[in-house]
């Protein structure tokens, strides 16, 4: 490490990014980006409802309850409202808790979790239209993902949980935009966020992952609120000699933050997950579901299963021994066993109960350690099922469901939303909530939709 | 980076550290350590009173005011109480805001700022004796500094603000001890802290530094509270393949965390600062005050000043252009100019007013960029003053005041306390507060002392 500033092109980067956010108008955002922003909020809202009754979220809720000042903001799926910072924390945790939320191609940031809760919480404290909310959200996602691009791949490889570390900048910027901060203040918000950027891959598979993700949303919001009160930050929080880019990446590429800014929108590289687990498992599960759909399939006769995929698959999800649903989200062995046995891979298949199902345990033990094929992209995988009689089935998945090349359809997104609502908060008013979110861009008062995000005892389970 | 775990000796490190904290008894802590723990709290309390009316602290207070649930904990020097998390944040910020707090030799962690506010806030919410408070504080300092040892020197060199990044672990452990958590829960507290560990050197000299330091205290406390509610963390938050040590250090030395644990106390390597600025400036200011004490000294005739010191002096404090008191804390040029002109280097000498004093500005402009002498230790420095007539004065400071070899005396600590109280909160009851803190180890109810930490209008300025 030298003490030098990054290459000259990076000089003034943080300020220019703040200026971009400050001057951006909703009219400048192309329609496909706007529509995808809505889909992202929709998808994230659904995963929040699904995650709202998860143990991690409940325990975090309990721990923060004594420190919430008033009831201004809705915790999705909960009756009790909290203050904006607490609600932002808990909703971020809930969106991401099952790893069922969205994924930005390239960085594997889950951008909605840290960003959306901030704009939703602010929308309950001041009049904000749906378009204003989506605009701030879009800018937050853009900043988080572009900073992620600039620190990738060494950032995540080294062990930073990129959703949290970069997400806080997106959360700060989204809040700053909705608070109508000045260019200077947006720069300070980035600076306050830089002082709080954190999150470790080591926590994945444990409740402490949610601590990091929740903290990204809360920390981003508080960074903007601090900036609004005049808490000044450094002029170069990103590109400075000891700024975020150099400290948190072995080979930062600051030029990726500005290249095409305002023209090429990272939002369009945001993918929705068909399965509630690490995105590297998508092609593996696709392959298993294909194999199971074969009329000759028989789980009882399986002798062993071999999975071969990208190096990242092995790095992230080679986990034969799991004891909790949370660990199962990053276990190829569990994903293979449960999807082959049940023909589904929803929230229930990654629950503690599924992990401890004797049938699942027995089949999981037959899945070999993940084999690496260096030439396989992360969207692809190969599964080989060998039966006791010596016969075998080979399935190669080239392009996983939920990838950029094969996105989930709008109807599939709605199905996912409904299933998650039933799983996490059966008494929520699913259809009105889904309909309202889908028309978010046209709402005059975005905060009003949050009343639909609470449990509603008179709603019967559908 | 490989995905391997650190060397076998590190296996189980986090759990053994949790076990140490869990089973530690105050009787196990040697008397000199106990006494130095009290001095550390005393010194930190004084710097908090001094910093309590600083703009950064006031702005942070304003930004967090709407999010404090109730009035359970004292913000030092403030009439209005806040909830424990908010008070912990603000007191940590205040202790460290002038860089006038303590410094752990070797890591340059300022350990009291993140740790003491947590135990002080908890002491107001439950019955805690002075000994219990000091014990938890001692363990927190020990853990923060030992983790700091393990990631040094690459951690700070790379740009991590080690007070914040390592301080959060100390804060978490101190809170966990005072909350009487189990070994598992202490391990989870470390895990939740690992998800929130943050802080960048880039923010030094700006208010956002305080955001990071405050966050370390708050985050540590909330990590323990989360653990108490069952928010589980990973088993190896420190030594895991993507745990804190490997992610945040290029050459971690995990063995430094356990070597001599419970026998060699890092507390005894904690130094108190005579000047409110970066510790690297101590020998520089000592040298300037010596030069000024010379009867032939004349500020008016100075043509130029050359300073030569350790590489760290240049890296941290070569800052010729400053516009705020905060930046001045890490400016060798300012420290030299103001101490030569005024013969003092207290809080007022590092205020915005001092920075903009025309005389100080003029002399500051005559100070050259810091010259490196690779063989000079960080406790030493050489200042060369050249007069317009060609004559010169050379002063070499071998061992700075406030270093381990030349610690501040107890009476000097008390003088510093009184001066800071008069600077930051003139209406505080200085003498009773100082006396009570000095007898902290004997208090049956440590929380009760906090009533003395509020402004008291009837107290006349002494």
């Amino acid at each position: 490490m030298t003490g030098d500033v990054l290459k000259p092109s990076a000089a003034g980067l943080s300020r220019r990014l703040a200026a971009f956010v400050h001057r951006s108008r909703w009219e400048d955002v192309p329609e496909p980006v706007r529509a995808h922003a809505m889909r992202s909020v929709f998808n994230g809202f659904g995963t929040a409802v699904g995650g709202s009754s998860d143990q991690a979220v409940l325990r975090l809720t309990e721990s923060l309850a004594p420190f919430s000042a008033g009831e201004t903001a809705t915790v999705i799926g909960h009756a009790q409202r909290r203050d904006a910072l607490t609600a932002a924390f808990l909703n971020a945790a809930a969106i991401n808790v099952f790893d069922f939320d969205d994924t930005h191609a390239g960085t594997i940031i889950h951008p909605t979790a840290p960003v959306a809760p901030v704009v939703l919480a602010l929308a309950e404290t001041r009049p904000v239209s749906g378009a204003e909310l989506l605009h701030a959200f879009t800018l937050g996602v853009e900043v988080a993902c572009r900073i992620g691009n600039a620190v990738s791949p060494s950032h995540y490889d080294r062990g930073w949980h990129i959703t949290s570390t970069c997400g806080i900048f997106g959360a700060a910027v989204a809040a700053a935009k909705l608070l109508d901060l000045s260019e200077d203040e947006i720069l300070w918000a980035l600076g306050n966020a830089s002082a709080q950027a954190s999150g470790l891959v080591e926590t994945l598979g444990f409740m402490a992952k949610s601590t990091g993700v929740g903290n990204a949303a809360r920390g981003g919001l508080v960074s903007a609120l601090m900036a609004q009160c005049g808490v000044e930050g450094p002029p170069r929080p990103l590109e400075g000699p000891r700024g975020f880019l150099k400290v948190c990446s072995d080979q930062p590429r600051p030029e990726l933050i500005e290249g095409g800014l305002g023209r090429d929108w990272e939002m369009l590289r945001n993918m929705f997950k068909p399965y509630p687990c690490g995105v590297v498992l998508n092609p593996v599960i696709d392959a298993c579901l294909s194999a199971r759909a074969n009329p000759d399939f028989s789980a009882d006769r399986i002798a062993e299963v071999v999975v071969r995929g990208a190096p990242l698959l092995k790095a992230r999800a080679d986990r034969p021994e799991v004891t909790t649903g949370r660990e199962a989200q990053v276990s190829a062995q569990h994903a293979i066993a449960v999807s082959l046995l049940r023909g589904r891979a929803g929230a229930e298949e990654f629950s503690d109960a599924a992990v401890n199902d004797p049938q699942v345990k027995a089949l999981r033990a037959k899945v070999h350690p993940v084999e690496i094929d260096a030439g396989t992209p992360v969207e692809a995988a190969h599964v080989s099922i060998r039966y006791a009689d010596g016969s075998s089935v080979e399935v190669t998945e080239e392009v996983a469901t939920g990838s950029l090349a094969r996105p989930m359809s709008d109807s599939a997104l709605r199905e996912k939303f409904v299933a998650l609502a039933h799983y996490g908060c059966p008494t929520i008013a699913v259809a009105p909530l889904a309909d309202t979110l889908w028309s978010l861009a046209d709402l005059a008062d975005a905060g009003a939709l949050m009343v639909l995000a609470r449990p509603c005892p008179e709603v019967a389970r559908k």
Side-chain angles (χ1 to χ4, degrees), chain A residues 23-34:
Chain A
R23 71 168 179 267
S24 172
R25 299 169 308 163
W26 187 227
E27 307 87 88
D28 304 334
V29 180
E31 176 51 31
V33 177
R34 296 180 179 200

Side-chain angles (χ1 to χ4, degrees), chain A residues 166-338:
Chain A
C166 295
I168 192 171
F169 293 101
V173 154
K177 185 68 178 178
L178 221 45
L179 290 167
D180 200 23
L181 298 193
S182 70
E183 181 184 310
D184 276 344
E185 291 166 336
I186 297 172
L187 181 61
W188 299 342
L190 288 170
N192 284 306
S194 79
Q196 301 181 75
S198 64
L200 294 180
V201 172
E202 191 70 25
T203 62
L204 300 196
F206 302 93
M207 291 181 180
K209 177 196 74 167
S210 298
T211 304
V213 174
N215 207 44
R218 181 197 178 279
L221 177 51
V222 86
S223 291
L225 293 165
M226 286 170 174
Q228 189 179 35
C229 288
V231 178
E232 300 166 359
R236 303 179 295 182
L238 297 173
E239 75 278 18
R242 289 178 185 81
F244 180 77
L245 299 181
K246 281 196 73 172
V247 173
C248 293
S249 174
D250 296 324
Q251 289 182 303
R253 294 177 292 174
E255 65 276 13
L256 296 185
I257 293 180
E258 290 192 283
L261 184 63
R263 189 187 67 222
D264 303 326
W265 293 82
E266 296 301 312
M267 179 67 81
L268 296 178
R269 302 176 70 205
N270 196 28
M271 307 175 291
F272 307 120
K273 285 181 163 179
Y275 313 118
C277 53
V279 69
V280 290
L281 293 175
N282 286 357
V284 176
I285 294 170
D286 278 348
C288 290
L289 296 179
S290 294
R292 191 180 190 276
N294 187 309
D296 295 334
F297 177 83
S298 163
D300 297 342
R301 292 190 297 117
I302 293 175
E304 57 180 7
V305 183
V306 174
V307 57
R308 210 164 63 241
L312 198 66
L313 175 64
K314 186 171 182 72
R316 291 291 164 267
D318 192 17
R319 193 177 294 235
E321 317 241 332
V322 292
T323 57
T324 65
R326 194 168 310 278
E327 288 176 285
Q329 293 167 5
V330 282
S331 166
Q333 285 80 5
H334 177 78
I336 289 168
V338 80

Side-chain angles (χ1 to χ4, degrees), chain A residues 13-25:
Chain A
L13 171 63
S14 298
R15 175 165 291 282
R16 288 195 300 277
L17 192 60
F20 166 76
V21 170
H22 183 248
R23 71 168 179 267
S24 172
R25 299 169 308 163

Side-chain angles (χ1 to χ4, degrees), chain A residues 19 42 137 148 369 390 412 414 433 439 448:
Chain A
F42 180 89
F137 171 74
R414 179 140 184 152
L433 177 58
S439 63

